[in-house]
Amino acid sequence: MPFQTNGTVIENRRVKSLYYILGMDCSPIANHIKPGQFIMLKVTGDSSPLLRRPFSVYKSYPDSHPEKNKRGYLFIYYKEVGKGTQKMTTLKKGQKVNLIGPLGKGFTFPPLPSSANIILIGGGVGIVSLYPIAEALRGTKLFVFIGGKTQDDILCMEDFKKFNSTISVATENGSLGFRGTVVDLFISQRKMFTKNGKYYLYSCGPVAMLKALAGIVKSRNFICQASLETRMGCGFGACWGCVVKTNHPQTPYQRVCKEGPVFPLKDIQWE
């Protein structure tokens, strides 16, 4: 059940280039949010911008967390790309922000105990949505593929190094790691994933990335989920402003904010 509640800004810092981390003290949401779910943030107290902004949660710490000084905190990454996010860069420690969450349907994990390998493929800020999976499956072997246009768009790499992970990086201009898209990188390393293995693949990024990925992971040993990034009006299914066409026979048009944002990759009709 989502909450509409106020949070208190605990930090708002620039990480690199146009990317920032916003931390908030908001126990009602931190206590309940699951990997893959999101929040809707009211950027300012006035009417400009009018609509809330959807953000994946990067890190969250419930009141039961062993580190008492982190309890109730949640963090998001954001990129300064327009009027709303530009205003977000001016938020100061101690300011109040209004949030709705947790929203949407999150990721599904392998049933335990499981010998399945975990593959994470993120493009740009999409990799942020996948970080909570690594936290939830701590100890499991991870294959992490991170992509961006330039090295300034490569996020969370140091965070993933804390886990049992093999990390591969691609930049479209070749400024860091493999030269090409993150899907090109995954294709170049696919031979490490045997036909006899079972793999849970989690992805988030631009539509073009997810469409390309859907075209190459059709074998049964890949169980693929995608978190879709799209514009949203309300965030809880009332406005039908974020529909996506799927292969579902009864309800082909589904709401990213309600039935998603996570869908089986094979269920999306890429037009």
Side-chain angles (χ1 to χ4, degrees):
M1 176 181 175
F3 300 86
Q4 180 172 352
T5 184
N6 288 326
T8 303
V9 174
I10 57 171
E11 73 166 342
N12 188 24
R13 61 182 173 88
R14 180 176 172 270
V15 179
K16 62 161 81 172
S17 184
L18 299 175
Y19 296 96
Y20 293 75
I21 287 179
L22 176 64
M24 296 158 283
D25 185 351
C26 188
S27 287
I29 295 178
N31 283 335
H32 294 91
I33 197 153
K34 301 293 191 297
Q37 292 185 301
F38 66 98
I39 61 169
M40 295 290 285
L41 172 68
K42 185 77 172 71
V43 176
T44 65
D46 56 36
S47 60
S48 178
L50 178 63
L51 298 177
R52 294 173 181 267
R53 297 292 193 269
F55 293 99
S56 298
V57 171
Y58 163 50
K59 293 180 180 179
S60 62
Y61 301 92
D63 289 339
S64 59
H65 194 271
E67 297 180 65
K68 292 182 179 180
N69 62 330
K70 293 183 178 180
R71 289 177 180 175
Y73 290 178
L74 59 87
F75 298 83
I76 63 172
Y77 254 95
Y78 67 95
K79 183 179 182 181
E80 184 185 354
V81 292
K83 185 177 181 180
T85 48
Q86 191 282 322
K87 285 191 173 185
M88 286 176 65
T89 66
T90 67
L91 289 170
K92 305 296 184 185
K93 185 176 180 179
Q95 280 188 249
K96 299 292 185 182
V97 289
N98 193 258
L99 310 170
I100 300 177
L103 294 165
K105 185 189 73 176
F107 293 106
T108 301
F109 296 140
L112 297 176
S114 173
S115 60
N117 293 287
I118 305 297
I119 303 171
L120 308 179
I121 302 179
V125 77
I127 192 64
V128 174
S129 300
L130 307 181
Y131 179 78
I133 297 173
E135 286 279 14
L137 299 178
R138 186 180 288 270
T140 304
K141 175 62 180 176
L142 306 174
F143 297 90
V144 183
F145 295 84
I146 306 174
K149 290 185 179 298
T150 74
Q151 61 183 347
D152 287 336
D153 301 302
I154 301 300
L155 306 175
C156 303
M157 187 165 63
E158 293 302 315
D159 285 318
F160 282 110
K161 287 180 180 179
K162 297 184 300 184
F163 304 104
N164 179 19
S165 60
T166 298
I167 302 170
S168 303
V169 173
T171 51
E172 293 179 25
N173 69 351
S175 55
L176 184 65
F178 179 89
R179 186 185 185 97
T181 70
V182 70
V183 177
D184 294 333
L185 171 62
F186 176 66
I187 292 172
S188 74
Q189 297 191 18
R190 251 189 103 180
K191 63 178 68 173
M192 74 169 70
F193 306 114
T194 65
K195 293 182 178 179
N196 296 325
K198 189 168 186 178
Y199 303 94
Y200 274 72
L201 189 154
Y202 301 91
S203 57
C204 184
V207 169
M209 182 203 101
L210 297 177
K211 181 179 180 180
L213 189 61
I216 62 169
V217 286
K218 295 181 177 179
S219 65
R220 291 183 180 179
N221 59 333
F222 283 96
I223 299 171
C224 306
Q225 299 172 48
S227 179
L228 302 188
E229 299 176 333
T230 186
R231 291 183 179 274
M232 295 180 185
C234 66
F236 44 83
C239 72
W240 288 82
C242 61
V243 295
V244 62
K245 192 173 184 181
T246 72
N247 296 316
H248 195 283
Q250 278 76 43
T251 53
Y253 289 96
Q254 301 206 355
R255 298 161 292 183
V256 174
C257 70
K258 189 73 172 180
E259 288 77 40
V262 177
F263 294 91
L265 189 61
K266 62 181 177 58
D267 285 0
I268 304 299
Q269 286 198 18
W270 305 101
E271 298 177 347

